Amino acid sequence: MVRPGRYALVNNVISDDELNKELTEAMGGQTQMDEGFAVRNLEAGSIVKGRVTRVSREDVVVDINYKAEGIVPILEFAADEIPEVGDEIEVLLEEIDEENGEIVLSKRKVDRIRNWERIKAQHDVGYIVIGKAIRKINGGLLVDIGVPVFLPASQVDIRRSADVSEYIGRELECKIIKIDRDRRNIVLSRRKMMEEERERRKADVLGSLVKGEIRKGVVKNITDFGAFVDLGGIDGLLHITDMSWGRVSHPTEVVKLDQQIDVKVLDFDLQRERISLGLKQAQESPWENIEERFPIGSRHTGPVVNIMPYGCFVKLADGIEGLVHISEMSWTRQVSHPSELVNVGDNVEVVVLDINKDKHELSLGMKQTEENPWTQVEAKYPIGTIIEGKVRNMTNYGAFIELEEGIDGLLHVNDMSWTKKFAHPSALLKKGDTVRAVVLAVDQERKRVTLGIKQLEDDPWAKRIPEKYHTSDIVTGTVTKLTNFGAFVEIEPDLEGLLHISEMADRKIEKPEEVVKVGDQITVMIINVDLNNRKIGLSLRAAEGVANGSTPEEQMAKRKRPAAARIE
C-alpha cells in the first residue's frame, strides 16, 4: 500500500499497456496476449487471458483458446474476488500436460507478477510505503506492500526489540532502502525513517528550548543515577538528585517507564546536545519558608532516615531533612558511631540549631532536648571534694573514673603517687576497681574533671623526705629497674633514688649490668636531695669508699674535684 498523494509516482499509475510491455520484456518475450485469444507458441510461464467457463467449490475453469481448458484452484481467489462465468481474467500458464489434455493455471502468481511490476515502476530507493507485517521470518519480518518484502529485525525500531513478533498484524510505515530488480527483492527500514523524523523533531526541540520552562516528556530509560526523558525528539537527563525534594534511593521510586511527566529545563548545551531536567524544580520548594516553619531553637520529632559515620539525618517534613552531628547527640557519652544511640526508622526529638537556606541544610541537635549535666558539675564537685568511683576506662596517660552516669574524671598517672613514677595506670589500677580520689579541677567548657589520689595525703617532699634524708647519708636499698644510664634503687616503699652509671664504680662502666642487677640489695650514699625536681641521687662507689675507711665528707669532697685529680 502506498500513502496516497505523498509521492509523485503514486498518483501517476502506469497503464496496462505499459505494464504489458514491461512485463513482456521481463519475461523474455514469452508473454502471449491477444484480444481474440489466438495463442501461438504457448509455453509454461506465459501470461494469458482467458474466459471463465465454469466455477465450482474447488476450482475455476478457464478457456484460454487452447486444445483444452485450464484450471485455477478456487483458493487463489479472495472471497470477494471469485469470478463469474463469462468473466475475462488474466492467468499464468504453469503446466501443460499434452497426454492427458490438462492445463494448470495460476491467478495468484500472475497477480504477484503484476504487483511487482507495478511497484517496481512506481517506487525507488528512499520512497516510503505502508504495509502490514504478516509473519516472522529468519532475521526479521515479512511485510505485505502489495508483494511480500523483507524488513530486517535491526530496522524495525530505533531500539531493537527482543521479539519482533509483537509487530505482526500492525500497519508499518517504512522506507525502501534496497531494490534488487533481478531477484524481485525489496528491503525496508522503519528505523531509518524514524531516525530521520527524530532528527527533524530534535532540531525543532533544540531550536525552541528556553531555560526555566516547563515541558512535557516521556520516561524512556531508567538508570541507577537517573532517568532519560524524551522531550519529543531528543532525550534529556533527569538526575536522581533533581527528582524530589526528599530522599530518593532509586529513580524507580519516583518515575516509571513510558510515564508522562512535567519537567523543568535546568540547563542545555546545543553543541553537545545535552539537556539537564528537573522534576522537583517544577514544584514549589519546601525550603522557601523554612525559617517560619522550623525556626532556630524550635523542637520537632521525626524519623531517622539515614545514618553516616559522622551523624544521622532526621526527616522533619517532605523534602526537609536535617543532620544531627555525632557531637550533638549526647552531653556525656563519647559516641564513636551514631548507631550506638539510634537506628534507621527511630523517631527522635531534635532542636533546630542552624539553617542554611541557600544550601538546603539544617543543623539539628538531640542532646539539646535534655538539660546539660555539665552545668551542675562544678557546683556538685567543687575543687577539694573527695569522691569514690569505679575505673571505667584506662589509657597510657591515666584512668577515667566514673563520678556519675555520663560524668567521668581523669586520674593522670602523675597524680597517682608523690614518690613513684608509673608508666601506665595498670601498674596501680585495673578496670572496675573502686577508687577514692580528690577533685583537683573542673573545666565545664571542655567537659573535664581532673582527679588525684596522691593529693589525699600530704606531700612527703614538703617536710618528711628532706627531714629524713640528707646528703652523705649511707642507706640500703633494692635495685628495681635498670636503664642505659643507670639503675633505680628503692630506699623505702614507693621512694626511689637514681644510681647513675658514673656513680657505680671508679672504673669506666659500659652497662649497669656489669655492676648490679634487678633485685640486688646494695648500700649507697645519698649525694643529692633535689626537692624542686623531687629526685634523690645515689652513689655506690662513694659508699664503698666509706666502707674502706674514708669518711662521707671525704667522699663528697672527692666527687667535687675535677675528674683528672680524682684518678689515683
Side-chain angles (χ1 to χ4, degrees), residues 160-333:
R160 185 159 185 171
S161 175
D163 185 7
V164 294
S165 298
E166 61 181 292
Y167 292 91
I168 294 176
R170 289 173 53 181
E171 293 279 342
L172 304 177
E173 188 175 27
C174 306
K175 175 174 282 193
I176 297 175
I177 59 173
K178 182 179 180 182
I179 297 180
D180 188 336
R181 301 183 187 276
D182 295 332
R183 298 183 180 181
R184 296 182 182 177
N185 288 337
I186 292 180
V187 180
L188 304 180
S189 173
R190 181 170 176 263
R191 173 180 177 173
K192 188 174 183 62
M193 186 202 67
M194 295 174 68
E195 287 176 341
E196 291 175 354
E197 179 64 23
R198 184 178 179 86
E199 286 299 317
R200 286 192 293 271
R201 291 164 58 196
K202 180 195 294 186
D204 292 341
V205 172
L206 289 174
S208 61
L209 277 179
V210 177
K211 191 180 295 187
E213 68 174 331
I214 304 297
R215 280 186 175 254
K216 290 189 179 296
V218 178
V219 178
K220 287 302 181 183
N221 191 24
I222 297 177
T223 67
D224 290 337
F225 58 83
F228 289 94
V229 181
D230 185 358
L231 300 179
I234 187 171
D235 290 347
L237 174 61
L238 173 59
H239 198 270
I240 188 171
T241 56
D242 292 310
M243 287 186 169
S244 172
W245 292 108
R247 182 176 297 275
V248 180
S249 299
H250 194 271
T252 51
E253 297 175 10
V254 181
V255 297
K256 295 178 175 59
L257 283 176
D258 298 322
Q259 179 184 357
Q260 188 177 62
I261 56 176
D262 289 332
V263 289
K264 187 173 186 177
V265 178
L266 304 181
D267 200 2
F268 56 88
D269 185 333
L270 294 179
Q271 289 185 338
R272 301 170 70 185
E273 296 185 355
R274 291 186 178 180
I275 305 173
S276 298
L277 305 174
L279 185 61
K280 70 181 183 182
Q281 290 85 352
Q283 308 162 1
E284 183 181 1
S285 170
W287 290 84
E288 284 301 318
N289 55 350
I290 190 71
E291 299 93 340
E292 298 174 6
R293 296 173 63 192
F294 303 100
I296 294 175
S298 59
R299 292 193 178 198
H300 307 274
T301 301
V304 176
V305 294
N306 195 22
I307 294 178
M308 302 297 287
Y310 53 83
C312 69
F313 289 89
V314 178
K315 180 180 178 181
L316 302 186
D318 288 340
I320 301 294
E321 294 178 8
L323 171 65
V324 181
H325 194 269
I326 194 170
S327 63
E328 304 295 345
M329 289 188 163
S330 175
W331 290 112
T332 56
R333 289 187 60 175

Side-chain angles (χ1 to χ4, degrees), residues 485-512:
F485 54 83
F488 286 92
V489 181
E490 186 178 57
I491 58 177
E492 70 171 54
D494 294 339
L495 179 61
E496 293 178 341
L498 173 62
L499 174 60
H500 196 271
I501 193 170
S502 62
E503 296 293 338
M504 287 185 176
D506 286 331
R507 60 188 175 85
K508 185 176 181 180
I509 303 298
E510 296 292 338
K511 295 181 180 179

Side-chain angles (χ1 to χ4, degrees), residues 34-39 49-51 63-66 88-89:
D34 191 357
E35 294 297 332
F37 302 107
V39 181
K49 286 183 179 180
R51 184 170 285 109
D63 180 7
I64 60 171
N65 198 20
Y66 195 62
E88 183 180 296
I89 62 175

